[in-house]
Amino acid sequence: MASVDALISPLVDRVLTILTSQAQYVLGFSYQFEAMQAMVRRIRALLGDSDNSNEEIVETTAKFRDLMYEADDILTDCLIREEYHDNNIVFRYKTGRKMNSIYKRMKEMDDILGGHLKEPSGGSSSHGDDTEQFTRTTTKDCHEADIVGLENDVKKIKGWILRTDNKLLKMALWGWGGWEKPPSPRKFLMILMYAIILIRRYGWSACSGSCFIITTRNKEVADAIKANETHHPKVLDDKKSWLLFSKHAFPEVKEESLEKFKEVGKKIVSECGGLPLAIKTIGGLLGSKPHSLQEWKKICDNFSVLDITEENSVVMKSLQLSYDALPPHLKQCLLCFSIYPEDFDIQAEKLIHWWIGEGLIHGKDSETTFEMGFKHLSMLVSRCLVEVVDTRGYDGRVYSCKMHDLVRDLTLAMAGKEKVCSFDEEGQKLTSDSRWLGFTSEMDAQSLNKTPKLRALLQTTNNQAQLHSNLGSLCSLRALDLSSNKLDNVALKKLLRWISSLERLAYLNLSGSKGLEEVPDSISKLRNLQILVLSGCRKLSKLSPSITYLKRLIILDLSSCDKLPYLPHGLGSLSQLQQLSGLRLASQSNRKSCQLLELGKLGELRILRMHLSKDSDITSSDVLSKLKKLKVLAIDFDTEKLDGKYMQEMLEQLPPPQGLEELYLRRYHHDTLPKWVIPDSLPHLAYLCIEDGGLFDIRAGEITWNLEVCV
């Protein structure tokens, strides 16, 4: 069954993990734990080997998925109870009854599946001696290498844009999806934005010599707008198709190593019809794993038999094959893109926060969950299923991304099959089975009462809907993003009262809330909260000390909260914290304030962004050096009360650990770096950024190791 495990497999992993750790909270069921674990694994394996043509299996699959969600809710309640140190016998008894009910229903499913399917053979398949491993391309250079065979098209369009006459022209690019229209959309968008600014400021006479470019799949649309110029990109020829394919299927591989793959590879490329998106996607699929001639032949055969009767069937076949080949953890991440509107620029950090809150990704070895999120996103980019919009300069980390409209069509279809979202011609529609929702200003907030299973609610447009009066039934919610809302303080107080009742909530984003002035004591009820983002809340002046009860927090972001005088005392008790942004330190005499010494307890901290003023007490100067896992340190200075010399003196007292990789200094008004910025002290430092500083001169010999510097 091609997509059955996209959500089931990760859900099963999560349920099995919690099931083992929370046995003490379940009365009257403990003796069945091992039997249930074995049954869960067996059903997952059976479903993975099943065929989705059988209606009874499809129905059983949907029921099993719902059952896993139900078990996840119950076991999450056990985790929350553990945070309260509450061993209430009534709760344990009720939990035992619920788990027994799940066990009985699961046994019925096991009997149904066992009657239709053979036992899974188990073990891992081997590709034999025809398997080779090639190096994958990085996120940074993947999207830069995509322009192949479009040189003449680029030249023609540049000629339109850079002409010397003073006419305002309309131009149309038309062609089937996957034909890359235009070759560099971000640059055209910047030109369009610039034209709009000129029009608003100086009127239409300011746009002489400018042009508007419309892209469409239909020639009729291009004709209807009566464009001055029309361009229809040609498909790639065989030579350029193979070149584009090779860039994605064989990155950094010598030509002689490809010989045995050429025949079947060129046959696969010929099925793509010269369409760049199809070529890139199938190339990204084949380049993402060890190369096997047997696997290539299988994919080539599947290309011919896959039944997709649409206008863009070649591209859709390529996309479907690429999706089917994704491992479950990447399938579930890709499906999340379905809730965003077409051509929507998605902030990578917000997306990854949702993945973490939903429980879709987990840390591994020395990599945090957040770092794994970027790794997953990079994999989707390298497979050409996600497009990069903006990246960080020095290492190519994705800042924002989007999805090609045809890839989005596929994710909508797959999300519908997985019953996490439903869509019609007007966009996402709410049903009683909906699990995720991208909330827009066009939606009726009252309809949210009909979605009791909702686990993720993300606002994708700015609006002022009074959500607090309509969401009382969303008890399964894990991720809530209402960033950049325009609610006033009164409305936000009501909203926070409702949010405080969402005990299973793991991710809360209220960043950019214009009216937020206070975070109340009731925030302490969110014992499952792992990510809290309040950045850019300019009016926020009071943060309840009860935030220190949120022991599961791994990310706390209070950056750019200018009116917040300090963070509360006791922050050191958040021992799982991996990212802390917006740390403000008050004087030593302020006992309500977090003190620098407390940071020594945050042994898992990887990222620290802090604000220093004249009142900041930094007497415990060796604390930062003891944070052995710290990789990123950012310090912002208050220039109104600090002179450059005092800034340097403060920095001298705050040496970071040797493992630091990135150092950011903002408004550092001094011409000399602290003495600890040397190779011996920071051998792993890869990036130094000094933003909005004074005149700064890095003299020859002052920094002698391989370090990228931005001043």
Side-chain angles (χ1 to χ4, degrees):
M1 198 168 185
S3 63
V4 70
D5 61 348
L7 291 173
I8 286 181
S9 189
L11 263 174
V12 166
D13 289 338
R14 175 174 166 80
V15 167
L16 289 173
T17 299
I18 308 178
L19 198 62
T20 304
S21 63
Q22 299 302 312
Q24 73 272 23
Y25 285 97
V26 185
L27 282 181
F29 183 74
S30 301
Y31 71 97
Q32 292 173 316
F33 265 80
E34 290 187 7
M36 184 173 182
Q37 289 173 333
M39 193 184 301
V40 167
R41 292 190 177 98
R42 168 183 153 83
I43 292 176
R44 174 170 61 177
L46 287 171
L47 291 174
D49 284 359
S50 66
D51 180 4
N52 60 4
S53 61
N54 186 299
E55 290 186 10
E56 191 170 18
I57 292 176
V58 172
E59 183 179 346
T60 303
T61 298
K63 288 181 179 178
F64 181 68
R65 186 190 301 112
D66 287 342
L67 210 57
M68 289 295 95
Y69 276 122
E70 187 178 337
D72 185 45
D73 280 348
I74 294 170
L75 295 171
T76 297
D77 291 343
C78 292
L79 285 174
I80 295 168
R81 188 67 56 172
E82 186 177 41
E83 294 297 329
Y84 282 103
H85 302 289
D86 187 349
N87 205 19
N88 185 285
I89 194 168
V90 176
F91 171 80
R92 294 169 63 197
Y93 176 71
K94 288 182 178 179
T95 301
R97 291 185 61 183
K98 291 176 183 176
M99 293 303 295
N100 267 312
S101 173
I102 289 177
Y103 180 77
K104 290 176 182 178
R105 285 178 281 165
M106 195 180 299
K107 197 172 188 310
E108 293 173 3
M109 295 176 191
D110 189 34
D111 293 339
I112 292 172
L113 292 173
H116 286 283
L117 306 171
K118 296 180 181 179
E119 286 287 340
S121 57
S124 58
S125 61
S126 173
H127 296 298
D129 294 335
D130 66 341
T131 301
E132 293 187 22
Q133 176 69 60
F134 296 116
T135 307
R136 283 300 299 147
T137 186
T138 64
T139 301
K140 184 174 183 178
D141 54 21
C142 175
H143 60 284
E144 294 171 353
D146 291 347
I147 300 178
V148 173
L150 296 172
E151 295 83 4
N152 291 333
D153 301 82
V154 172
K155 185 177 180 180
K156 182 177 181 179
I157 295 170
K158 277 186 175 180
W160 290 349
I161 298 171
L162 302 177
R163 70 194 189 287
T164 56
D165 62 58
N166 291 323
K167 294 179 180 179
L168 173 65
L169 297 183
K170 290 183 294 183
M171 304 173 207
L173 304 178
W174 71 273
W176 284 358
W179 250 334
E180 301 295 339
K181 315 173 299 293
S184 183
R186 186 164 176 251
K187 292 181 180 178
F188 287 122
L189 180 60
M190 292 173 67
I191 293 169
L192 180 60
M193 291 175 63
Y194 181 64
I196 292 172
I197 293 171
L198 288 176
I199 293 169
R200 293 183 64 182
R201 185 171 297 178
Y202 302 112
W204 282 93
S205 58
C207 286
S208 58
S210 299
C211 61
F212 289 91
I213 299 176
I214 296 94
T215 65
T216 177
R217 298 185 198 176
N218 302 316
K219 185 177 185 298
E220 292 77 11
V221 175
D223 294 337
I225 65 171
K226 297 181 180 179
N228 303 100
E229 299 283 357
T230 302
H231 181 59
H232 179 56
K234 296 179 181 179
V235 296
L236 301 181
D237 60 27
D238 291 345
K239 183 178 180 180
K240 290 175 180 176
S241 293
W242 178 254
L243 176 61
L244 180 60
F245 174 79
S246 299
K247 283 178 177 289
H248 294 275
F250 307 112
E252 302 176 13
V253 177
K254 294 182 179 179
E255 186 71 18
E256 55 267 23
S257 303
L258 313 182
E259 248 348 280
K260 69 178 181 180
F261 295 98
K262 271 191 175 180
E263 182 180 350
V264 65
K266 289 189 174 181
K267 190 175 180 181
I268 291 173
V269 171
S270 69
E271 294 282 351
C272 296
L275 295 176
L277 180 60
I279 295 168
K280 286 162 48 181
T281 305
I282 203 71
L285 161 62
L286 293 167
S288 64
K289 52 189 175 182
H291 290 66
S292 161
L293 199 57
Q294 179 184 352
E295 185 72 17
W296 280 48
K297 289 178 180 178
K298 179 181 176 182
I299 289 175
C300 186
D301 293 339
N302 288 342
F303 227 135
S304 303
V305 301
L306 198 61
D307 182 25
I308 298 179
T309 55
E310 293 186 13
E311 174 191 345
N312 298 290
S313 59
V314 172
V315 178
M316 294 307 292
K317 282 183 180 182
S318 175
L319 295 176
Q320 184 69 63
L321 287 171
S322 189
Y323 175 80
D324 291 344
L326 288 175
H329 66 277
L330 289 183
K331 281 183 181 176
Q332 60 186 352
C333 291
L334 187 69
L335 291 183
C336 291
F337 284 83
S338 62
I339 73 162
Y340 296 101
E342 189 173 349
D343 291 325
F344 189 82
D345 283 359
I346 304 163
Q347 294 182 34
E349 192 170 88
K350 284 187 177 183
L351 179 67
I352 291 168
H353 285 169
W354 170 22
W355 290 349
I356 296 172
E358 182 78 24
L360 302 182
I361 54 177
H362 305 281
K364 185 179 180 181
D365 300 327
S366 61
E367 290 183 300
T368 65
T369 311
F370 189 67
E371 291 166 342
M372 285 298 295
F374 278 104
K375 191 172 183 179
H376 287 11
L377 182 57
S378 295
M379 291 176 183
L380 293 175
V381 169
S382 70
R383 295 180 188 224
C384 302
L385 293 170
V386 174
E387 297 179 354
V388 174
V389 175
D390 193 16
T391 61
R392 186 165 66 178
Y394 91 93
D395 65 352
R397 172 175 281 189
V398 178
Y399 275 150
S400 60
C401 56
K402 61 190 292 188
M403 184 166 276
H404 190 284
D405 54 352
L406 290 181
V407 185
R408 182 173 178 271
D409 289 345
L410 176 71
T411 63
L412 298 188
M414 293 298 102
K417 285 184 179 180
E418 294 287 350
K419 293 189 176 181
V420 288
C421 309
S422 298
F423 303 88
D424 57 23
E425 293 180 356
E426 297 180 359
Q428 189 172 354
K429 62 179 182 178
L430 292 176
T431 70
S432 59
D433 290 324
S434 296
R435 302 285 181 180
W436 305 336
L437 174 63
F439 192 78
T440 66
S441 54
E442 292 79 24
M443 291 181 176
D444 178 15
Q446 292 287 348
S447 61
L448 292 171
N449 279 326
K450 302 175 183 177
T451 57
K453 297 179 181 178
L454 206 65
R455 290 171 64 96
L457 174 59
L458 289 82
Q459 186 167 276
T460 54
T461 58
N462 295 340
N463 62 71
Q464 301 186 52
Q466 301 296 309
L467 296 177
H468 59 271
S469 60
N470 303 293
L471 304 180
S473 62
L474 303 184
C475 58
S476 291
L477 211 61
R478 298 302 200 278
L480 179 61
D481 183 346
L482 299 178
S483 54
S484 302
N485 68 77
K486 299 177 182 178
L487 300 175
D488 60 26
N489 187 50
V490 175
L492 281 165
K493 280 185 176 180
K494 294 179 180 179
L495 179 65
L496 281 166
R497 277 201 295 270
W498 166 72
I499 290 175
S500 298
S501 69
L502 303 174
E503 292 191 344
R504 294 168 180 157
L505 194 67
Y507 164 46
L508 174 60
N509 190 333
L510 294 175
S511 62
S513 297
K514 292 187 176 181
L516 186 63
E517 298 178 9
E518 178 182 351
V519 175
D521 293 342
S522 58
I523 194 75
S524 64
K525 296 179 181 179
L526 302 179
R527 297 300 176 95
N528 192 45
L529 200 64
Q530 298 170 47
I531 302 173
L532 177 59
V533 183
L534 300 172
S535 58
C537 294
R538 304 288 181 178
K539 293 184 178 180
L540 180 63
S541 59
K542 185 178 180 182
L543 180 66
S544 171
S546 63
I547 196 174
T548 59
Y549 288 102
L550 307 182
K551 307 299 184 185
R552 303 198 71 203
L553 273 184
I554 59 173
I555 297 175
L556 176 59
D557 190 347
L558 295 158
S559 54
S560 300
C561 295
D562 300 333
K563 289 194 174 182
L564 193 64
Y566 53 82
L567 299 195
H569 177 74
L571 213 63
S573 63
L574 304 180
S575 58
Q576 296 187 40
L577 210 58
Q578 297 171 3
Q579 296 184 28
L580 174 57
S581 300
L583 174 66
R584 291 172 180 266
L585 302 170
S587 63
Q588 191 174 17
S589 60
N590 188 336
R591 296 185 178 181
K592 295 181 180 180
S593 156
C594 173
Q595 301 295 321
L596 185 62
L597 187 62
E598 291 188 65
L599 298 187
K601 301 176 183 178
L602 304 181
E604 296 299 316
L605 204 61
R606 265 74 167 182
I607 297 175
L608 175 61
R609 301 184 179 99
M610 58 193 300
H611 182 276
L612 294 180
S613 66
K614 191 174 183 179
D615 296 328
S616 300
D617 176 36
I618 56 170
T619 52
S620 303
S621 58
D622 62 340
V623 171
L624 297 188
S625 63
K626 295 179 180 178
L627 300 177
K628 301 302 181 183
K629 295 183 180 181
L630 192 67
K631 295 182 179 180
V632 179
L633 175 62
I635 300 178
D636 186 5
F637 290 93
D638 184 350
T639 56
E640 293 184 6
K641 299 180 180 179
L642 289 175
D643 59 33
K645 184 178 179 181
Y646 193 62
M647 289 179 185
Q648 187 204 20
E649 291 175 357
M650 294 182 82
L651 273 186
E652 292 287 2
Q653 300 179 61
L654 296 172
Q658 283 198 335
L660 195 73
E661 297 175 1
E662 301 170 30
L663 175 61
Y664 300 81
L665 301 177
R666 187 166 183 264
R667 294 185 288 197
Y668 178 66
H669 290 178
H670 198 61
D671 60 1
T672 305
L673 286 169
K675 294 177 182 178
W676 43 259
V677 184
I678 55 174
D680 289 344
S681 298
L682 300 176
H684 301 286
L685 192 66
Y687 187 66
L688 169 62
C689 178
I690 301 174
E691 180 186 353
D692 192 20
L695 293 175
F696 193 86
D697 177 30
I698 299 179
R699 294 181 296 276
E702 186 171 351
I703 295 180
T704 57
W705 73 109
N706 185 20
L707 175 68
E708 187 164 340
V709 181
C710 175
V711 179

